[in-house]
Amino acid sequence: EPGGDLDGPVITHTAISASQLYGEDVLLEAQVTDAHAVFTVEVSYQQQTAAPDNWKSAVMTEVGGGLFQGAIPG
């Protein structure tokens, strides 16, 4: 496209609503599709008790067909 790709990917996932065990990794997965290739998917997270703006990120791995899986360290 002239001027570059201006449309972001479509990300589909199911939100985790259940409480998670302290110290255990939180496993995530998301379906990510785009008219152009998707090279990297990252999840940003912050502990509930962390100082404001203390965000971290983790890279998710594509397991096939646009499905990405990852974990937030426990």
Side-chain angles (χ1 to χ4, degrees), residues 11-27:
I11 302 170
T12 306
H13 70 97
T14 301
I16 298 172
S17 59
S19 297
Q20 302 297 302
L21 293 174
Y22 181 80
E24 297 286 325
D25 290 354
V26 178
L27 304 178

Side-chain angles (χ1 to χ4, degrees), residues 10-72:
V10 175
I11 302 170
T12 306
H13 70 97
T14 301
I16 298 172
S17 59
S19 297
Q20 302 297 302
L21 293 174
Y22 181 80
E24 297 286 325
D25 290 354
V26 178
L27 304 178
L28 310 165
E29 67 178 27
Q31 187 72 38
V32 183
T33 57
D34 190 84
H36 303 278
V38 175
F39 296 107
T40 303
V41 174
E42 291 185 13
V43 59
S44 296
Y45 62 93
Q46 180 181 25
Q47 290 182 335
Q48 187 175 15
T49 58
D53 296 325
N54 188 20
W55 292 93
K56 297 180 181 180
S57 64
V59 175
M60 298 178 73
T61 302
E62 185 174 13
V63 295
L67 180 64
F68 287 79
Q69 294 179 334
I72 296 172

